[in-house]
Amino acid sequence: MADTQKTFSPTADFSAQANINDQSVYAEAAADPQAWWANQAQTLLDWTKPWDTVCEWNPPHAKWFVGGQLNVAANCLDRHLTGARRNKAALIFEGEPGDTRVLTYWDLHREVCKLSNVLLSLNIVKGDRVTIYLPTAPEAVISMLACARIGAVHTVVFGGFSADSLRERISDSQSKLLITADGGWRRGNKVTLKDTADAALEGETTIEKVIVVNRTDDAKHVHMKQGRDFWWHRLMEEADIKHEALPMDAEDPLYILYTSGSTGKPKGILHTSGGYLTGVAATTKYIFDIKDSDVYWCTADVGWVTGHSYVVYGPLANGATVFLYEGAPDWPQRDRFWSLIEKYGVTIMYTAPTAIRAFMKWGTEWPAKHDLSTLRLLGSVGEPINPEAWLWYNTHIGGGKCPIVDTWWQTETGAIMISPLPGLSATKPASASRPFPGIAAEVVDEAGNPLPHGTDQTGILVLTQPWPSMLRTLWRDDERYKSVYWSKFADKGYYFPGDGARRDEEGDYWLLGRVDDIMLVAGHNISTMEVESALVDHPAVAEAAVIGRTHEIKGQAIAAFVTLKDGVGHTSELAGQLKDHVAKKIGAISRPDDILFSAELPKTRSGKIMRRLLRDIAEGRALGDTSTLADPSVVAGLKEKYSEES
Ligand code: 6R9
């Protein structure tokens, strides 16, 4: 049997010590999911007021733990201060240049209290939005928790986003305050965040005040606008260290996080307090098997949901030690991650398939140079992992002894939905196993009927019942919330995540990628529309069609088919300019890999661009059905051209 078809069971030692090692959890949760979740909320969190109702479900709107009160930051900090965790490391940070900082729970609590007082002194009150545009460093975590402590709603924007993207998110969320830094470090270079922030604030803006963290010691080059901009360290020097966390209703908003939508405009995913924290605390405890003795490293940037749920809220709610690294995996050399694992004795690592594929390409000599024996569990998230990458991760990083949890979830779901439980599941390379206890999923056909297990047909993944950490709506756009997620199977009341899937004979789930116009480039969701809009915004471009083509390392690469305005010449300089233009408009992660100029794009008679055919062209496949095209010769010409130029 090929290794890719084998199953891998946890060792007896691992199972014996696991936080869950009894299969009965699945049946127990399925019998009464609400009771199961209520039990998690009760045992894993501290509430200042108990709830009256576990779940109110008025499809498609859910409320969880209605009437209950808690403070998310207090659950991540204050309750750990009374016992042995007080002086335990909460955050161990290493910056890209090699600077290090350790914050104990006691330290982190003090910093968060101080910043809470700073926010109050800047007139930020419960319900106000605060945009956070920072590198992955302790200040980002402190900022998120300080918002949670006073009830301000944070919206973290990934530091790689452009000024336009930042401006759009600030304006949609109507944030009053921006927290940023002079810069961050990436492959030895300074990323000038403050300059980008300044550009985003030009003209009209809802932002009244800006707090600036000194990260790169670039004070000389940073322009501080009087009355608007304040240095973090100055404000913190004077801040009171005492702050009482404000109890929040379970349904009070915790954060908004923007994610790509297929119409181009980003969607503001809204998460609330009690249900969200219950979901992330339970999944962290049972899927990552977190213990007080662990050193846990999730490599995601705090700007993505994985950073929210599994760098900050889930692990800190569990009182874990979180390792945080600011920079790139190949700086100064390709063994940076492995040297960090050795240096800090990391026991749990959670990363993305795109990173694993890059490590594979760089070769086994890099991890082999380091002692990785402290690792006991590995995780993967962001896109489907190929069986070969799974096996490589298992052998060369996990030493063949670490369970791998391939976790499927989304910004919208808040917490992991489908994953193995590491002490129980016999895992199969590239299968995410089964829904977490208390989560109800199914794979259905276009009509919403369940597909038989073991069929080759690609089905559509749906979640059939509400869950505590689900998004509550899209910020200021409830209509879009209803139409994007709930209209496809409205009669059945199913949540539609936009992913293709199938189930094997044993009922295990295999995720097969997006079924909509979202690309997964290095694990990041990028909308084809958004890149097309950025291209068309360039004066030389008449029309553009963008698709994700299969890419060895990034999963998908961005290929753009571009029609130019009359009289503009097709030059390689222009292709370069267009790539730069998109990177500037949206951010470097959206920079197209290929630009192909074409006099025309393949369209149906009703004028729809046939992206399926463009994908066939970019991936060198035989063209599928072209009979619905207005002019079939267009694709034939394009195909020839693509193979010549690439
Ligand atoms: C957590 C996160 C969500 C989309 C999702 C799916 C893809 C994530 C996956 C996976 C297969 C996995 N995805 N994890 N596909 N296997 N283990 O990535 O959130 O950025 O919102 O992306 O990512 O397509 O719908 P987000």
Side-chain angles (χ1 to χ4, degrees):
M1 193 197 280
D3 280 355
T4 49
Q5 269 139 40
K6 275 198 199 144
T7 57
F8 294 76
S9 294
T11 61
D13 286 352
F14 189 97
S15 292
Q17 62 79 58
N19 286 342
I20 290 189
N21 51 17
D22 187 345
Q23 288 284 357
S24 65
V25 64
Y26 286 112
E28 188 201 325
D32 190 347
Q34 290 195 14
W36 193 82
W37 281 117
N39 186 33
Q40 302 311 315
Q42 188 64 51
T43 49
L44 300 178
L45 305 182
D46 283 3
W47 297 76
T48 45
K49 179 170 174 282
W51 57 84
D52 308 312
T53 315
V54 178
C55 176
E56 270 178 21
W57 179 222
N58 296 309
H61 295 106
K63 290 184 178 168
W64 282 82
F65 309 116
V66 186
Q69 289 195 331
L70 80 172
N71 183 283
V72 167
N75 270 279
C76 292
L77 299 171
D78 304 45
R79 64 186 177 133
H80 304 315
L81 301 181
T82 49
R85 285 180 183 150
R86 175 187 292 181
N87 283 319
K88 173 184 173 171
L91 296 181
I92 300 177
F93 170 69
E94 181 158 323
E96 198 190 70
D99 53 317
T100 62
R101 259 188 284 170
V102 178
L103 282 93
T104 64
Y105 272 95
W106 191 249
D107 295 329
L108 186 59
H109 175 260
R110 183 182 52 244
E111 296 305 303
V112 170
C113 286
K114 283 183 355 193
L115 188 65
S116 300
N117 286 321
V118 166
L119 297 182
L120 292 172
S121 75
L122 296 176
N123 295 324
I124 299 300
V125 295
K126 182 176 170 183
D128 284 344
R129 272 80 61 205
V130 172
T131 295
I132 299 173
Y133 185 62
L134 285 173
T136 292
E139 286 80 4
V141 182
I142 294 166
S143 300
M144 291 162 77
L145 292 170
C147 288
R149 204 169 175 88
I150 66 166
V153 182
H154 61 70
T155 149
V156 182
V157 177
F158 170 58
F161 273 125
S162 67
D164 282 352
S165 299
L166 176 60
R167 188 203 322 268
E168 188 175 18
R169 285 156 178 77
I170 286 172
S171 120
D172 190 76
S173 61
Q174 298 182 307
S175 288
K176 271 169 73 178
L177 176 79
L178 173 67
I179 307 181
T180 186
D182 52 352
W185 293 101
R186 193 75 188 171
R187 296 205 170 82
N189 296 313
K190 287 181 188 176
V191 183
T192 53
L193 291 173
K194 178 64 165 62
D195 292 350
T196 312
D198 283 341
L201 299 182
E202 265 167 33
E204 233 175 86
T205 178
T206 52
I207 295 287
E208 294 165 10
K209 299 272 168 14
V210 180
I211 302 181
V212 186
V213 173
N214 174 16
R215 170 78 194 113
T216 58
D217 248 336
D218 216 3
K220 275 204 282 319
H221 299 112
V222 168
H223 170 70
M224 297 291 279
K225 188 168 169 183
Q226 244 205 322
R228 186 193 72 177
D229 301 352
F230 304 88
W231 285 107
W232 168 291
H233 55 276
R234 292 255 180 283
L235 296 170
M236 291 289 267
E237 252 166 28
E238 291 158 15
D240 190 347
I241 60 169
K242 287 216 165 35
H243 180 269
E244 238 2 271
L246 194 63
M248 298 293 148
D249 286 336
E251 283 298 330
D252 277 335
L254 177 64
Y255 68 79
I256 302 165
L257 184 60
Y258 287 88
T259 182
S260 293
S262 40
T263 62
K265 186 177 180 294
K267 302 176 294 204
I269 307 296
L270 179 71
H271 283 295
T272 57
S273 303
Y276 173 79
L277 199 65
T278 302
V280 298
T283 46
T284 304
K285 177 154 186 183
Y286 302 130
I287 295 172
F288 298 115
D289 193 47
I290 210 119
K291 305 273 166 45
D292 260 316
S293 50
D294 279 308
V295 179
Y296 163 92
W297 183 19
C298 165
T299 67
D301 191 284
V302 286
W304 308 114
V305 74
T306 308
H308 284 57
S309 298
Y310 298 108
V311 173
V312 183
Y313 291 114
L316 296 179
N318 278 283
T321 293
V322 173
F323 174 65
L324 206 62
Y325 169 61
E326 173 190 30
D330 53 353
W331 186 267
Q333 291 210 77
R334 289 173 164 179
D335 60 348
R336 185 65 182 271
F337 274 21
W338 321 125
S339 84
L340 290 169
I341 288 175
E342 178 174 328
K343 181 169 172 194
Y344 295 101
V346 172
T347 58
I348 301 172
M349 179 185 194
Y350 187 31
T351 193
T354 184
I356 299 168
R357 289 190 296 262
F359 302 144
M360 280 174 83
K361 192 168 165 219
W362 297 341
T364 53
E365 62 270 31
W366 297 103
K369 280 200 227 172
H370 296 278
D371 178 3
L372 305 180
S373 62
T374 52
L375 286 172
R376 66 181 197 90
L377 186 137
L378 302 175
S380 171
V381 62
E383 57 182 315
I385 179 168
N386 344 51
E388 296 71 25
W390 194 104
L391 289 168
W392 189 92
Y393 197 29
N394 181 51
T395 307
H396 296 288
I397 308 305
K401 67 172 174 40
C402 301
I404 297 183
V405 290
D406 175 7
T407 62
W408 178 89
W409 60 294
Q410 308 179 295
T411 308
E412 292 86 341
T413 68
I416 296 167
M417 297 284 107
I418 305 180
S419 166
L421 287 178
L424 286 180
S425 316
T427 51
K428 304 169 187 169
S431 163
S433 290
R434 49 199 285 196
F436 187 71
I439 299 299
E442 193 49 87
V443 175
V444 300
D445 63 17
E446 281 288 337
N449 301 312
L451 285 176
H453 298 182
T455 170
D456 283 343
Q457 208 182 324
T458 298
I460 298 164
L461 179 69
V462 290
L463 301 174
T464 58
Q465 276 169 30
W467 63 98
S469 64
M470 66 191 274
L471 78 166
R472 296 305 192 254
T473 186
L474 293 181
W475 181 251
R476 298 201 306 158
D477 202 350
D478 197 52
E479 284 311 309
R480 192 175 179 202
Y481 166 72
K482 291 183 204 159
S483 79
V484 174
Y485 304 108
W486 302 94
S487 65
K488 191 161 173 76
F489 299 108
D491 51 331
K492 308 228 181 232
Y494 292 166
Y495 170 84
F496 168 65
D499 279 62
R502 62 180 193 85
R503 295 179 74 178
D504 63 20
E505 287 81 0
E506 289 157 312
D508 280 325
Y509 286 71
W510 297 73
L511 278 307
L512 302 170
R514 304 287 309 179
V515 296
D516 57 14
D517 289 333
I518 307 281
M519 301 176 282
L520 282 173
V521 180
H524 302 313
N525 294 3
I526 297 171
S527 130
T528 54
M529 268 293 289
E530 200 178 8
V531 178
E532 285 168 9
S533 308
L535 284 165
V536 174
D537 173 76
H538 190 280
V541 175
E543 194 173 33
V546 167
I547 53 118
R549 68 165 166 84
T550 307
H551 184 276
E552 198 193 337
I553 291 181
K554 297 197 279 191
Q556 287 193 309
I558 304 178
F561 294 79
V562 174
T563 309
L564 294 174
K565 292 196 178 136
D566 282 348
V568 182
H570 300 179
T571 61
S572 56
E573 286 84 59
L574 180 60
Q577 277 171 25
L578 293 182
K579 291 180 187 177
D580 290 346
H581 184 72
V582 176
K584 190 164 168 288
K585 289 287 293 182
I586 316 176
I589 51 168
S590 300
R591 184 189 178 84
D593 297 84
D594 318 326
I595 299 248
L596 192 84
F597 295 118
S598 164
E600 266 177 282
L601 295 173
K603 288 186 188 160
T604 63
R605 277 168 216 126
S606 65
K608 286 203 178 58
I609 296 175
M610 294 281 283
R611 290 197 176 70
R612 174 174 59 76
L613 292 175
L614 295 176
R615 221 168 283 134
D616 288 343
I617 292 170
E619 294 180 353
R621 266 192 305 273
L623 294 176
D625 181 15
T626 57
S627 59
T628 56
L629 284 178
D631 178 0
S633 71
V634 171
V635 279
L638 264 178
K639 192 169 163 58
E640 209 168 290
K641 199 163 167 209
Y642 201 95
S643 49
E644 275 166 21
E645 291 185 13
S646 54

mmCIF file of all heavy atoms in Angstrom, residues 259 304-306 380-385 406-412 432 497-499 511-514 520 523-525, ligand 1:
data_model
loop_
_atom_site.group_PDB
_atom_site.id
_atom_site.type_symbol
_atom_site.label_atom_id
_atom_site.label_comp_id
_atom_site.label_asym_id
_atom_site.label_seq_id
_atom_site.Cartn_x
_atom_site.Cartn_y
_atom_site.Cartn_z
ATOM 1 N N THR A 259 -12.519 39.566 5.425
ATOM 2 C CA THR A 259 -12.049 38.463 4.595
ATOM 3 C C THR A 259 -12.569 38.690 3.180
ATOM 4 O O THR A 259 -13.553 39.406 2.983
ATOM 5 C CB THR A 259 -12.494 37.106 5.187
ATOM 6 O OG1 THR A 259 -11.985 36.049 4.387
ATOM 7 C CG2 THR A 259 -13.999 36.973 5.248
ATOM 8 N N TRP A 304 -4.620 37.394 10.615
ATOM 9 C CA TRP A 304 -5.570 36.423 10.061
ATOM 10 C C TRP A 304 -6.353 35.789 11.190
ATOM 11 O O TRP A 304 -5.956 35.834 12.347
ATOM 12 C CB TRP A 304 -4.835 35.333 9.262
ATOM 13 C CG TRP A 304 -3.897 35.889 8.245
ATOM 14 C CD1 TRP A 304 -2.541 35.774 8.251
ATOM 15 C CD2 TRP A 304 -4.226 36.660 7.093
ATOM 16 N NE1 TRP A 304 -2.010 36.420 7.167
ATOM 17 C CE2 TRP A 304 -3.018 36.973 6.438
ATOM 18 C CE3 TRP A 304 -5.428 37.105 6.547
ATOM 19 C CZ2 TRP A 304 -2.982 37.723 5.264
ATOM 20 C CZ3 TRP A 304 -5.391 37.854 5.377
ATOM 21 C CH2 TRP A 304 -4.177 38.148 4.743
ATOM 22 N N VAL A 305 -7.436 35.111 10.833
ATOM 23 C CA VAL A 305 -8.275 34.543 11.893
ATOM 24 C C VAL A 305 -7.514 33.487 12.697
ATOM 25 O O VAL A 305 -7.728 33.334 13.897
ATOM 26 C CB VAL A 305 -9.595 33.965 11.318
ATOM 27 C CG1 VAL A 305 -9.362 32.660 10.583
ATOM 28 C CG2 VAL A 305 -10.620 33.808 12.423
ATOM 29 N N THR A 306 -6.613 32.764 12.032
ATOM 30 C CA THR A 306 -5.856 31.750 12.768
ATOM 31 C C THR A 306 -5.056 32.415 13.889
ATOM 32 O O THR A 306 -4.927 31.866 14.988
ATOM 33 C CB THR A 306 -4.943 30.961 11.810
ATOM 34 O OG1 THR A 306 -5.752 30.481 10.733
ATOM 35 C CG2 THR A 306 -4.282 29.796 12.493
ATOM 36 N N SER A 380 -2.107 21.593 10.818
ATOM 37 C CA SER A 380 -2.086 22.209 9.493
ATOM 38 C C SER A 380 -3.409 22.932 9.272
ATOM 39 O O SER A 380 -4.461 22.468 9.696
ATOM 40 C CB SER A 380 -1.903 21.117 8.437
ATOM 41 O OG SER A 380 -2.075 21.644 7.132
ATOM 42 N N VAL A 381 -3.350 24.074 8.606
ATOM 43 C CA VAL A 381 -4.561 24.863 8.335
ATOM 44 C C VAL A 381 -4.356 25.793 7.148
ATOM 45 O O VAL A 381 -3.240 26.203 6.868
ATOM 46 C CB VAL A 381 -4.948 25.743 9.550
ATOM 47 C CG1 VAL A 381 -3.877 26.758 9.889
ATOM 48 C CG2 VAL A 381 -6.282 26.462 9.313
ATOM 49 N N GLY A 382 -5.441 26.128 6.475
ATOM 50 C CA GLY A 382 -5.411 27.184 5.472
ATOM 51 C C GLY A 382 -5.847 26.734 4.101
ATOM 52 O O GLY A 382 -6.385 27.512 3.325
ATOM 53 N N GLU A 383 -5.590 25.488 3.792
ATOM 54 C CA GLU A 383 -5.957 24.949 2.484
ATOM 55 C C GLU A 383 -5.775 23.437 2.558
ATOM 56 O O GLU A 383 -5.213 22.929 3.528
ATOM 57 C CB GLU A 383 -5.067 25.549 1.392
ATOM 58 C CG GLU A 383 -3.622 25.289 1.669
ATOM 59 C CD GLU A 383 -2.683 25.911 0.651
ATOM 60 O OE1 GLU A 383 -2.957 25.798 -0.550
ATOM 61 O OE2 GLU A 383 -1.674 26.468 1.078
ATOM 62 N N PRO A 384 -6.253 22.738 1.538
ATOM 63 C CA PRO A 384 -6.046 21.292 1.561
ATOM 64 C C PRO A 384 -4.550 20.986 1.578
ATOM 65 O O PRO A 384 -3.769 21.653 0.902
ATOM 66 C CB PRO A 384 -6.682 20.823 0.247
ATOM 67 C CG PRO A 384 -7.613 21.917 -0.168
ATOM 68 C CD PRO A 384 -7.003 23.185 0.346
ATOM 69 N N ILE A 385 -4.150 20.019 2.388
ATOM 70 C CA ILE A 385 -2.727 19.629 2.412
ATOM 71 C C ILE A 385 -2.587 18.411 1.492
ATOM 72 O O ILE A 385 -3.397 17.501 1.548
ATOM 73 C CB ILE A 385 -2.239 19.351 3.857
ATOM 74 C CG1 ILE A 385 -0.775 18.935 3.876
ATOM 75 C CG2 ILE A 385 -3.088 18.323 4.594
ATOM 76 C CD1 ILE A 385 -0.141 18.931 5.268
ATOM 77 N N ASP A 406 -5.144 17.994 10.830
ATOM 78 C CA ASP A 406 -5.444 18.816 9.649
ATOM 79 C C ASP A 406 -6.798 19.449 9.943
ATOM 80 O O ASP A 406 -7.813 18.762 9.985
ATOM 81 C CB ASP A 406 -5.492 17.911 8.417
ATOM 82 C CG ASP A 406 -5.921 18.652 7.159
ATOM 83 O OD1 ASP A 406 -6.067 19.890 7.194
ATOM 84 O OD2 ASP A 406 -6.112 17.975 6.121
ATOM 85 N N THR A 407 -6.785 20.763 10.166
ATOM 86 C CA THR A 407 -7.969 21.427 10.721
ATOM 87 C C THR A 407 -8.666 22.270 9.666
ATOM 88 O O THR A 407 -8.091 23.209 9.136
ATOM 89 C CB THR A 407 -7.551 22.344 11.884
ATOM 90 O OG1 THR A 407 -6.666 23.347 11.380
ATOM 91 C CG2 THR A 407 -6.839 21.558 12.977
ATOM 92 N N TRP A 408 -9.905 21.951 9.366
ATOM 93 C CA TRP A 408 -10.677 22.759 8.413
ATOM 94 C C TRP A 408 -11.584 23.730 9.171
ATOM 95 O O TRP A 408 -12.323 23.322 10.066
ATOM 96 C CB TRP A 408 -11.549 21.890 7.497
ATOM 97 C CG TRP A 408 -12.356 22.771 6.582
ATOM 98 C CD1 TRP A 408 -11.970 23.222 5.354
ATOM 99 C CD2 TRP A 408 -13.644 23.360 6.853
ATOM 100 N NE1 TRP A 408 -12.947 24.061 4.845
ATOM 101 C CE2 TRP A 408 -13.980 24.168 5.744
ATOM 102 C CE3 TRP A 408 -14.529 23.295 7.924
ATOM 103 C CZ2 TRP A 408 -15.173 24.891 5.657
ATOM 104 C CZ3 TRP A 408 -15.721 24.034 7.863
ATOM 105 C CH2 TRP A 408 -16.029 24.814 6.726
ATOM 106 N N TRP A 409 -11.490 24.988 8.791
ATOM 107 C CA TRP A 409 -12.395 26.011 9.338
ATOM 108 C C TRP A 409 -12.213 27.277 8.551
ATOM 109 O O TRP A 409 -11.473 27.297 7.563
ATOM 110 C CB TRP A 409 -12.145 26.216 10.838
ATOM 111 C CG TRP A 409 -10.755 26.677 11.221
ATOM 112 C CD1 TRP A 409 -9.586 25.979 11.076
ATOM 113 C CD2 TRP A 409 -10.411 27.923 11.833
ATOM 114 N NE1 TRP A 409 -8.530 26.720 11.562
ATOM 115 C CE2 TRP A 409 -9.012 27.916 12.031
ATOM 116 C CE3 TRP A 409 -11.136 29.048 12.240
ATOM 117 C CZ2 TRP A 409 -8.337 29.000 12.611
ATOM 118 C CZ3 TRP A 409 -10.466 30.105 12.823
ATOM 119 C CH2 TRP A 409 -9.072 30.064 13.001
ATOM 120 N N GLN A 410 -12.886 28.351 8.944
ATOM 121 C CA GLN A 410 -12.863 29.623 8.196
ATOM 122 C C GLN A 410 -12.936 30.798 9.161
ATOM 123 O O GLN A 410 -13.365 30.634 10.308
ATOM 124 C CB GLN A 410 -14.115 29.748 7.327
ATOM 125 C CG GLN A 410 -14.418 28.609 6.426
ATOM 126 C CD GLN A 410 -15.704 28.880 5.659
ATOM 127 O OE1 GLN A 410 -16.776 28.967 6.249
ATOM 128 N NE2 GLN A 410 -15.596 29.033 4.350
ATOM 129 N N THR A 411 -12.617 31.989 8.649
ATOM 130 C CA THR A 411 -12.816 33.207 9.432
ATOM 131 C C THR A 411 -14.244 33.213 9.983
ATOM 132 O O THR A 411 -14.488 33.548 11.144
ATOM 133 C CB THR A 411 -12.610 34.444 8.537
ATOM 134 O OG1 THR A 411 -11.354 34.316 7.866
ATOM 135 C CG2 THR A 411 -12.619 35.719 9.353
ATOM 136 N N GLU A 412 -15.172 32.812 9.136
ATOM 137 C CA GLU A 412 -16.590 32.838 9.503
ATOM 138 C C GLU A 412 -16.934 31.867 10.616
ATOM 139 O O GLU A 412 -17.831 32.126 11.415
ATOM 140 C CB GLU A 412 -17.448 32.478 8.275
ATOM 141 C CG GLU A 412 -17.448 33.512 7.161
ATOM 142 C CD GLU A 412 -16.285 33.365 6.178
ATOM 143 O OE1 GLU A 412 -15.263 32.714 6.520
ATOM 144 O OE2 GLU A 412 -16.396 33.887 5.062
ATOM 145 N N ALA A 432 -9.270 15.615 6.710
ATOM 146 C CA ALA A 432 -9.441 16.368 7.958
ATOM 147 C C ALA A 432 -10.280 15.583 8.971
ATOM 148 O O ALA A 432 -10.701 16.122 9.991
ATOM 149 C CB ALA A 432 -10.072 17.725 7.670
ATOM 150 N N PRO A 497 -20.313 27.080 3.274
ATOM 151 C CA PRO A 497 -18.982 27.682 3.423
ATOM 152 C C PRO A 497 -18.268 27.962 2.111
ATOM 153 O O PRO A 497 -17.264 28.666 2.095
ATOM 154 C CB PRO A 497 -18.187 26.632 4.213
ATOM 155 C CG PRO A 497 -19.121 25.493 4.482
ATOM 156 C CD PRO A 497 -20.304 25.647 3.586
ATOM 157 N N GLY A 498 -18.736 27.361 0.993
ATOM 158 C CA GLY A 498 -18.069 27.594 -0.290
ATOM 159 C C GLY A 498 -16.955 26.610 -0.596
ATOM 160 O O GLY A 498 -16.130 26.856 -1.471
ATOM 161 N N ASP A 499 -16.915 25.473 0.103
ATOM 162 C CA ASP A 499 -15.870 24.479 -0.130
ATOM 163 C C ASP A 499 -16.447 23.187 -0.709
ATOM 164 O O ASP A 499 -17.512 22.744 -0.299
ATOM 165 C CB ASP A 499 -15.157 24.120 1.182
ATOM 166 C CG ASP A 499 -14.117 25.152 1.552
ATOM 167 O OD1 ASP A 499 -14.513 26.303 1.768
ATOM 168 O OD2 ASP A 499 -12.923 24.818 1.611
ATOM 169 N N LEU A 511 -11.409 17.584 2.109
ATOM 170 C CA LEU A 511 -11.728 18.911 1.586
ATOM 171 C C LEU A 511 -11.063 19.100 0.234
ATOM 172 O O LEU A 511 -9.899 18.740 0.058
ATOM 173 C CB LEU A 511 -11.237 19.986 2.554
ATOM 174 C CG LEU A 511 -12.144 20.313 3.751
ATOM 175 C CD1 LEU A 511 -13.555 20.635 3.265
ATOM 176 C CD2 LEU A 511 -12.188 19.221 4.774
ATOM 177 N N LEU A 512 -11.800 19.681 -0.701
ATOM 178 C CA LEU A 512 -11.301 19.711 -2.081
ATOM 179 C C LEU A 512 -11.151 21.114 -2.645
ATOM 180 O O LEU A 512 -11.107 21.295 -3.857
ATOM 181 C CB LEU A 512 -12.247 18.881 -2.964
ATOM 182 C CG LEU A 512 -12.405 17.415 -2.512
ATOM 183 C CD1 LEU A 512 -13.532 16.736 -3.269
ATOM 184 C CD2 LEU A 512 -11.106 16.638 -2.699
ATOM 185 N N GLY A 513 -11.098 22.136 -1.802
ATOM 186 C CA GLY A 513 -10.872 23.495 -2.312
ATOM 187 C C GLY A 513 -12.175 24.235 -2.551
ATOM 188 O O GLY A 513 -13.263 23.697 -2.403
ATOM 189 N N ARG A 514 -12.033 25.498 -2.945
ATOM 190 C CA ARG A 514 -13.184 26.387 -3.058
ATOM 191 C C ARG A 514 -14.052 26.059 -4.271
ATOM 192 O O ARG A 514 -13.550 25.637 -5.303
ATOM 193 C CB ARG A 514 -12.714 27.843 -3.184
ATOM 194 C CG ARG A 514 -11.825 28.342 -2.083
ATOM 195 C CD ARG A 514 -12.526 28.576 -0.802
ATOM 196 N NE ARG A 514 -13.708 29.405 -0.959
ATOM 197 C CZ ARG A 514 -14.509 29.726 0.059
ATOM 198 N NH1 ARG A 514 -14.243 29.284 1.278
ATOM 199 N NH2 ARG A 514 -15.553 30.470 -0.141
ATOM 200 N N LEU A 520 -7.009 30.502 -3.185
ATOM 201 C CA LEU A 520 -6.270 30.255 -1.944
ATOM 202 C C LEU A 520 -4.794 30.314 -2.298
ATOM 203 O O LEU A 520 -4.222 29.347 -2.768
ATOM 204 C CB LEU A 520 -6.625 28.887 -1.370
ATOM 205 C CG LEU A 520 -7.954 28.768 -0.626
ATOM 206 C CD1 LEU A 520 -8.231 27.310 -0.284
ATOM 207 C CD2 LEU A 520 -7.955 29.612 0.640
ATOM 208 N N GLY A 523 -2.422 29.973 1.193
ATOM 209 C CA GLY A 523 -3.349 29.889 2.321
ATOM 210 C C GLY A 523 -4.183 31.144 2.543
ATOM 211 O O GLY A 523 -5.065 31.154 3.383
ATOM 212 N N HIS A 524 -3.913 32.216 1.804
ATOM 213 C CA HIS A 524 -4.696 33.440 1.979
ATOM 214 C C HIS A 524 -5.843 33.472 0.984
ATOM 215 O O HIS A 524 -5.665 33.184 -0.190
ATOM 216 C CB HIS A 524 -3.823 34.680 1.757
ATOM 217 C CG HIS A 524 -2.648 34.728 2.663
ATOM 218 N ND1 HIS A 524 -2.751 34.486 4.015
ATOM 219 C CD2 HIS A 524 -1.344 34.967 2.431
ATOM 220 C CE1 HIS A 524 -1.567 34.589 4.563
ATOM 221 N NE2 HIS A 524 -0.688 34.867 3.626
ATOM 222 N N ASN A 525 -6.992 33.893 1.464
ATOM 223 C CA ASN A 525 -8.146 34.016 0.577
ATOM 224 C C ASN A 525 -8.022 35.294 -0.230
ATOM 225 O O ASN A 525 -7.945 36.375 0.338
ATOM 226 C CB ASN A 525 -9.437 34.171 1.380
ATOM 227 C CG ASN A 525 -9.767 32.939 2.162
ATOM 228 O OD1 ASN A 525 -8.995 31.988 2.155
ATOM 229 N ND2 ASN A 525 -10.896 32.953 2.812
HETATM 230 C C1 6R9 B 1 -8.699 29.205 8.977
HETATM 231 C C2 6R9 B 1 -8.674 29.839 7.626
HETATM 232 C C3 6R9 B 1 -10.970 29.654 4.857
HETATM 233 C C4 6R9 B 1 -10.834 28.730 3.661
HETATM 234 C C5 6R9 B 1 -11.781 27.570 3.715
HETATM 235 C C6 6R9 B 1 -11.058 26.532 2.883
HETATM 236 C C7 6R9 B 1 -9.608 26.764 3.218
HETATM 237 C C8 6R9 B 1 -8.785 26.222 5.549
HETATM 238 C C9 6R9 B 1 -8.399 24.078 5.389
HETATM 239 C C10 6R9 B 1 -8.905 24.540 4.152
HETATM 240 C C11 6R9 B 1 -8.785 22.395 3.295
HETATM 241 C C12 6R9 B 1 -8.062 22.690 5.504
HETATM 242 N N1 6R9 B 1 -9.129 25.873 4.295
HETATM 243 N N2 6R9 B 1 -8.332 25.142 6.218
HETATM 244 N N3 6R9 B 1 -9.100 23.696 3.110
HETATM 245 N N4 6R9 B 1 -8.273 21.890 4.432
HETATM 246 N N5 6R9 B 1 -7.535 22.167 6.632
HETATM 247 O O1 6R9 B 1 -7.854 29.481 6.802
HETATM 248 O O2 6R9 B 1 -9.635 30.797 7.405
HETATM 249 O O3 6R9 B 1 -8.613 32.486 5.829
HETATM 250 O O4 6R9 B 1 -11.119 32.375 6.249
HETATM 251 O O5 6R9 B 1 -9.928 30.609 4.907
HETATM 252 O O6 6R9 B 1 -9.531 28.137 3.642
HETATM 253 O O7 6R9 B 1 -11.262 26.779 1.524
HETATM 254 O O8 6R9 B 1 -13.052 27.921 3.210
HETATM 255 P P1 6R9 B 1 -9.819 31.657 6.087
#
